[in-house]
Amino acid sequence: MSETKIDDKKILVTAALPYANGHIHIGHLVEYIQTDIWVRFQKLSGRRCLFICADDTHGTAIMIRARQEGRSEQELIAQMQAAHEKDFAGFDIEFDHYSSTNSQENYQLCTEIWSKLRSEGLIREDDVEQLYDPQVGTFLADRFVKGTCPECKSPGEYGDNCSKCSATYSPTDLIDPVSTLSGATPVKKTAKHLFIQIEQLRGFLTQWTQSGKHLQTEIANYLKGHFLGHPLRDWDVSRPEPYFGFAIPDSPGNYWYVWFDAPIGYIASTWQWCKRHNEQLSDWWQSEHTEIHHFIGKDITYFHTLFWPGVLKAVGYSLPSFVHIHGFLTVDKEKMAKTRGTMIRASKYLELLDPSYLRYYYASKLGPKPEDIDLNFQEFIAKVDSDLVGKVVNLASRTARFVEGTGLSIEYPHDGGLFAAGVVAGDRIAEAYEQGDYARAMRLIMELADAANSFVENTAPWTLKKDPTLQVRLQEVCTIVLNLFRQLCVYLAPVLPRLSQQCGKLLQREIVAWSDSKTPLVGTQVSKFEHLMQRVDPKKVQQMVDESKEVPKSDAPSVPVAQTPVQAVTSPAVTEAIEPLVAEPLAPTCTIEDFAKVDLRVARVIKAEEVPEAKKLVKLTVSLGGDVTRTVFAGIKAAYTLEQLEGRLVVIVANLQPRQMKFGLSEGMVTAAGAGGTEVFLLGVDTGAKPGHRVH
RNA sequence: GGCGAAGUAGCUCAGUCGGUUAGAGCAACGGCUUCAUAAGCCGUGUGUCGCCGGUUCGAGUCCGGCCUUCGCUACCA
């Protein structure tokens, strides 16, 4: 994963900046735990290492959300940052500095880097005619506009290309465009945009990405195949006002796009740390003696492996030594979903379970490849119980009590080479950590734990205890086992810092360095034994999943758009999540006549069929009463089984213009709510309604 | 459909440069033990290494084709 370090080198490590629009969940934690383990390993090994992070705070999403919640962006991002930091601390993720991209330092750095990019001739200005939503008062990105394809007249196409005839065009070419933010008809408006001409750096980027030193091979291949074979498109790094972010000093009315200032936030956050610790920023970001390691998810590969190195190169900052890219988290092989309760927030987990469990479980699954990892709760419980409680912690609880009065032997006794074998294995464990192969490290550690338990069995301290003449031997055996336990605690310290602390307390000698694993501890007192870790309570796991399920509350006011009703003051406040409304703000007012144009009808699904070639579609035959039927394709395959659909009542748009699709003609649309994917909720009707009834 | 990754024991995975009889943990089963948090120890594997073909003295490993799964993307919303 990365080259072996020369030990006088400094290491600067970053994890991706979490966006201030959402709370930390167990999917995010894969990355922060992965990074924290690596940082702790480096520090334990005696290397000078900084772990830097910050909240990513800018962008349209933050602006709209703050607007919806009736408060300032600053208030919103401050609150989210506090929540993020609390969650991270709860999982023992220890940053050296945690900042915000909305900082004075970041603004100053953006300005400096910007003017350097200008002087390097990398910035191009161009007028861009874009659609503008007069309702929301903002320009619309391509995918926020839908309309009819100018080529084939297919309706409902996104603003960049037609899914039907593959034509590419600009959103301003769409016939009858509609803003997906408000439903308003956008107007054309011209604005100046600023672009970074990344193509000028393609030669450098090809060499840098393909050198084999900075990226996993899978990632290098991906970039080669997808981007580096063709000229790179200029990167649009400005957004016209209104926008929550930094105003571009030499371009009035324009702001830096959030993805421009976010990675610069890595440097800005380091700078803040430097100011507090009286250090030079250039020693960290412009020095050959410092390695920079970014940990990110595969979703933001593009930015961190092309744009970011390109910018750094152009402005004279150090390039990353390595970009460590991990996959996504699935739960039971499925994407996390709120409906299934698998989108578990960090704070919810911490209410019910020990963070050490998740740290160990992730460690046992994480390798150096950018592969997805799967969380399976059965395996989670089994692994923690069996490995940590049954094997590791058990070593202490089998022996510590026998030496509470006497402490450890003065000299380390003969142990048949067990401790020495552990020292040898330590090098391989260290190598595995270094390479990001934590799964391998955990396997090696558990092999040692197995050997130690076997030793306990063979020496049977409980038998020695009964014979007064064998008390010295008993102390020796316990000295050996507790030293093997301590060795394991050193090896596990990057993953389980709490355990290593508890071990320090038990044996009255703190674990401070990896090298503590190389010398046995002798002659210390042994504290009264206390349980070091509890088994996983399966009921708590179930409770966590249950309480993470999003339950629709149909009768509560869903959003505070109108005046809050007076009774809300006396009843306990039901706070609904704001995300759905932010994701899709209210459409502009329409008249009753407008509404009457849409003919919504109750219909019964009489046949639900698989569309084998389609991943998301099912083919429904619905009855509108009598022998009037319609064929409708609906994108609900991931959310409903065919059996669940057949026979049930749905509400369809009965007078929608039929649409020819690859799989057949769709004669209407089934109404549903939700974000898509597995989060699709069909509209139902109370008992009594009949197929053919119109919805008024 | 496009791009990428992966298929090895019931589950999770290791398997380096092509080299003896393909391994580990968990689960299961049998026995032992009772220090320990119902923990621990010993023992038990008839696996078409996804399929077909090729290269080779020799293929889980290299090459070609196919199948399946997963991810991204598209169709839907």
Side-chain angles (χ1 to χ4, degrees):
Chain A
M1 197 169 185
S2 65
E3 294 170 287
T4 315
K5 260 160 221 83
I6 302 163
D7 276 21
D8 66 346
K9 281 207 174 185
K10 295 200 283 272
I11 306 173
L12 187 139
V13 181
T14 72
L17 312 185
Y19 199 44
N21 197 26
H23 286 285
I24 302 301
H25 57 64
I26 56 172
H28 294 111
L29 288 170
V30 172
E31 175 169 317
Y32 299 95
I33 288 174
Q34 178 188 39
T35 314
D36 187 67
I37 290 171
W38 202 76
V39 168
R40 284 179 186 270
F41 168 73
Q42 298 296 345
K43 289 179 175 173
L44 201 63
S45 303
R47 293 178 185 118
R48 188 87 199 287
C49 181
L50 271 192
F51 186 10
I52 297 292
C53 200
D55 258 26
D56 179 15
T57 57
H58 293 154
T60 310
I62 299 292
M63 181 178 77
I64 290 176
R65 175 168 167 178
R67 207 179 279 181
Q68 292 286 356
E69 295 178 6
R71 54 179 174 162
S72 71
E73 287 95 348
Q74 281 74 12
E75 193 184 327
L76 169 63
I77 64 176
Q79 190 207 330
M80 289 308 293
Q81 183 172 340
H84 289 173
E85 292 197 56
K86 189 177 174 207
D87 289 341
F88 288 138
F91 276 92
D92 298 329
I93 293 155
E94 207 169 73
F95 301 106
D96 288 280
H97 191 65
Y98 196 94
S99 179
S100 162
T101 57
N102 196 47
S103 72
Q104 177 266 321
E105 286 85 357
N106 201 31
Y107 177 70
Q108 195 174 327
L109 279 166
C110 286
T111 305
E112 286 169 17
I113 286 171
W114 181 249
S115 83
K116 185 86 168 108
L117 290 169
R118 283 259 198 207
S119 65
E120 291 290 315
L122 287 167
I123 306 297
R124 175 174 72 84
E125 299 189 358
D126 213 347
D127 280 340
V128 174
E129 187 178 62
Q130 232 187 327
L131 292 176
Y132 178 85
D133 184 330
Q135 181 89 15
V136 179
T138 183
F139 282 92
L140 296 164
D142 291 357
R143 63 199 161 97
F144 289 124
V145 187
K146 278 186 161 185
T148 300
C149 170
E151 297 294 326
C152 71
K153 317 295 185 228
S154 161
E157 297 297 339
Y158 282 109
D160 46 359
N161 65 67
C162 176
S163 57
K164 191 77 179 61
C165 69
S166 311
T168 55
Y169 42 78
S170 139
T172 52
D173 298 332
L174 284 175
I175 303 165
D176 300 330
V178 172
S179 163
T180 62
L181 288 183
S182 68
T185 302
V187 296
K188 286 181 191 176
K189 224 174 150 176
T190 300
K192 185 168 75 178
H193 277 244
L194 297 149
F195 299 83
I196 296 182
Q197 295 167 288
I198 192 92
E199 169 61 12
Q200 292 182 23
L201 297 160
R202 183 152 61 101
F204 161 73
L205 289 171
T206 303
Q207 173 255 313
W208 187 81
T209 59
Q210 304 303 309
S211 72
K213 291 180 186 166
H214 311 298
L215 301 172
Q216 289 127 304
T217 52
E218 295 87 343
I219 301 297
N221 293 340
Y222 164 75
L223 296 173
K224 190 179 176 184
H226 278 77
F227 300 106
L228 295 167
H230 323 276
L232 294 168
R233 278 163 53 182
D234 293 349
W235 184 32
D236 184 351
V237 290
S238 74
R239 294 293 182 270
E241 61 186 357
Y243 193 77
F244 178 58
F246 291 139
I248 304 177
D250 57 10
S251 182
N254 286 312
Y255 288 74
W256 282 304
Y257 175 46
V258 55
W259 262 110
F260 179 77
D261 70 60
I264 294 174
Y266 293 141
I267 308 179
S269 186
T270 312
W271 194 11
Q272 285 189 343
W273 179 89
C274 286
K275 285 178 174 177
R276 289 189 192 179
H277 293 84
N278 233 345
E279 298 229 4
Q280 293 300 312
L281 181 62
S282 58
D283 286 344
W284 292 93
W285 277 94
Q286 291 173 306
S287 163
E288 287 177 3
H289 300 291
T290 301
E291 290 190 356
I292 293 165
H293 291 256
H294 294 306
F295 285 79
I296 61 163
K298 63 185 184 183
D299 53 327
I300 53 177
T301 297
Y302 188 51
F303 297 100
H304 282 82
T305 58
L306 294 177
F307 291 126
W308 180 232
V311 167
L312 289 170
K313 173 73 176 171
V315 302
Y317 280 84
S318 300
L319 288 151
S321 295
F322 208 90
V323 183
H324 307 251
I325 301 182
H326 62 81
F328 297 141
L329 179 72
T330 56
V331 180
D332 294 328
K333 299 274 165 142
E334 308 244 27
K335 265 197 217 176
M336 290 184 294
K338 286 176 183 168
T339 44
R340 272 193 292 268
T342 54
M343 182 81 81
I344 298 162
R345 282 193 189 178
S347 52
K348 173 57 71 183
Y349 178 104
L350 290 170
E351 275 174 34
L352 293 159
L353 296 170
D354 183 339
S356 299
Y357 302 161
L358 196 68
R359 291 180 67 100
Y360 177 71
Y361 183 76
Y362 281 171
S364 77
K365 305 286 277 189
L366 275 166
K369 289 191 181 176
E371 286 171 343
D372 291 354
I373 69 167
D374 187 53
L375 167 58
N376 171 291
F377 287 114
Q378 306 303 319
E379 191 194 20
F380 171 84
I381 294 167
K383 253 195 159 112
V384 171
D385 285 357
S386 163
D387 291 357
L388 295 184
V389 181
K391 288 180 182 176
V392 177
V393 156
N394 197 219
L395 290 169
S397 63
R398 300 180 84 172
T399 52
R401 279 186 192 117
F402 297 143
V403 285
E404 268 172 19
T406 57
L408 299 183
S409 307
I410 300 302
E411 275 184 39
Y412 187 69
H414 248 304
D415 66 357
L418 274 175
F419 191 88
V423 172
V424 171
D427 289 345
R428 292 198 293 151
I429 294 166
E431 192 190 338
Y433 272 122
E434 180 71 42
Q435 293 171 346
D437 199 347
Y438 307 159
R440 180 174 152 79
M442 296 308 108
R443 274 197 305 277
L444 291 167
I445 292 168
M446 289 311 140
E447 276 177 28
L448 297 178
D450 282 338
N453 271 302
S454 190
F455 177 83
V456 176
E457 197 70 23
N458 293 331
T459 49
W462 55 94
T463 309
L464 302 175
K465 187 184 70 171
K466 290 170 190 157
D467 185 340
T469 67
L470 293 174
Q471 294 311 293
V472 171
R473 180 61 188 153
L474 173 65
Q475 189 190 22
E476 286 178 353
V477 164
C478 292
T479 297
I480 291 166
V481 175
L482 287 170
N483 264 294
L484 296 173
F485 168 68
R486 181 165 181 267
Q487 195 175 46
L488 295 175
C489 287
V490 176
Y491 295 154
L492 285 168
V495 179
L496 303 172
R498 292 185 192 190
L499 180 64
S500 95
Q501 268 177 18
Q502 289 169 309
C503 175
K505 206 188 253 178
L506 179 69
L507 302 181
Q508 304 192 14
R509 179 73 63 84
E510 213 183 323
I511 291 171
V512 294
W514 186 261
S515 57
D516 288 337
S517 65
K518 296 187 192 304
T519 320
L521 194 62
V522 288
T524 59
Q525 290 304 301
V526 173
S527 307
K528 187 167 164 47
F529 181 76
E530 291 169 12
H531 279 181
L532 300 170
M533 192 179 290
Q534 304 301 319
R535 310 173 77 75
V536 183
D537 183 349
K539 288 200 290 285
K540 293 273 179 67
V541 173
Q542 189 56 49
Q543 188 186 348
M544 177 176 77
V545 172
D546 289 343
E547 291 180 8
S548 296
K549 278 180 189 155
E550 222 161 62
V551 190
K553 295 167 194 155
S554 53
D555 54 352
S558 59
V559 279
V561 270
Q563 297 295 317
T564 310
V566 178
Q567 73 257 32
V569 178
T570 51
S571 63
V574 180
T575 315
E576 296 282 357
I578 187 70
E579 282 79 6
L581 187 69
V582 173
E584 194 170 357
L586 294 179
T589 306
C590 77
T591 63
I592 186 75
E593 288 78 20
D594 290 334
F595 174 67
K597 288 181 193 164
V598 180
D599 193 348
L600 296 172
R601 295 282 173 159
V602 175
R604 188 178 302 281
V605 178
I606 54 180
K607 198 155 70 171
E609 295 168 272
E610 191 87 28
V611 184
E613 317 93 283
K615 278 192 184 168
K616 298 184 186 173
L617 294 179
V618 292
K619 181 180 180 181
L620 302 179
T621 307
V622 299
S623 167
L624 287 170
D627 54 5
V628 181
T629 63
R630 293 286 181 83
T631 302
V632 179
F633 289 89
I636 56 175
K637 191 171 184 170
Y640 290 89
T641 63
L642 299 180
E643 293 72 40
Q644 287 172 318
L645 292 166
E646 280 194 3
R648 67 161 287 168
L649 293 179
V650 294
V651 175
I652 69 163
V653 183
N655 62 340
L656 191 69
Q657 184 180 31
R659 173 160 178 196
Q660 184 61 47
M661 299 173 57
K662 187 158 66 179
F663 317 110
L665 188 68
S666 188
E667 308 166 304
M669 186 168 93
V670 175
T671 55
T678 54
E679 284 187 65
V680 175
F681 310 97
L682 287 175
L683 263 66
V685 178
D686 280 350
T687 316
K690 294 194 169 49
H693 274 148
R694 184 166 181 186
V695 179
H696 294 285

